[in-house]
Amino acid sequence: MLSILAHTTHRLQPLHRSFFKSLKSYYNKAASSWLRSNPGSVIKQTNVAELLGKAYPRSVRMDIALNGFEATGLWLCDRNVIKEENFEASLNISDSSNQELGDQTERNTRSSYIAID
């Protein structure tokens, strides 16, 4: 079982930490280049696929994927990637779903950001 505290999942999403960041960067570069090549024009919905087609292949690389998993501490497993203070928002939640986890699971999850049973 994988138990993740509320308000911490964004730190555990490798695509958001690496792939989408690089895709956004390459898309913005392609858009800037297009705007320089087409002075006075604006990027329309019909241009988006062309620009994304230039950015996507540059973003889909094994090293970027591996960096995302490493940045989140999911692989190679590194329990120290996410600091204790990142859990503060989840400790203020007092809804029934957190209470159902029980005190033991909560202690385990605080000491290591992923509790695997």
Side-chain angles (χ1 to χ4, degrees), residues 22-74:
S22 68
L23 180 62
K24 179 180 178 180
S25 174
Y26 287 127
Y27 178 84
N28 287 338
K29 288 178 184 178
S32 294
S33 175
W34 188 90
L35 288 170
R36 280 191 302 276
S37 300
N38 299 285
S41 298
V42 294
I43 297 174
K44 297 181 182 170
Q45 190 172 3
T46 55
N47 304 113
V48 172
E50 173 191 348
L51 299 174
L52 192 58
K54 292 178 181 178
Y56 188 82
R58 297 177 74 187
S59 299
V60 182
R61 296 194 335 245
M62 184 62 74
D63 61 320
I64 290 175
L66 292 174
N67 287 341
F69 280 92
E70 188 175 336
T72 58
L74 294 175

Side-chain angles (χ1 to χ4, degrees), residues 79-106:
R79 297 173 187 262
N80 299 314
V81 168
I82 299 176
K83 306 297 181 215
E84 189 72 26
E85 59 266 15
N86 298 132
F87 295 113
E88 290 175 4
S90 68
L91 298 176
N92 295 327
I93 304 293
S94 61
D95 62 34
S96 61
S97 63
N98 276 349
Q99 292 174 0
E100 290 174 8
L101 294 175
D103 293 336
Q104 181 61 40
T105 304
E106 190 171 318

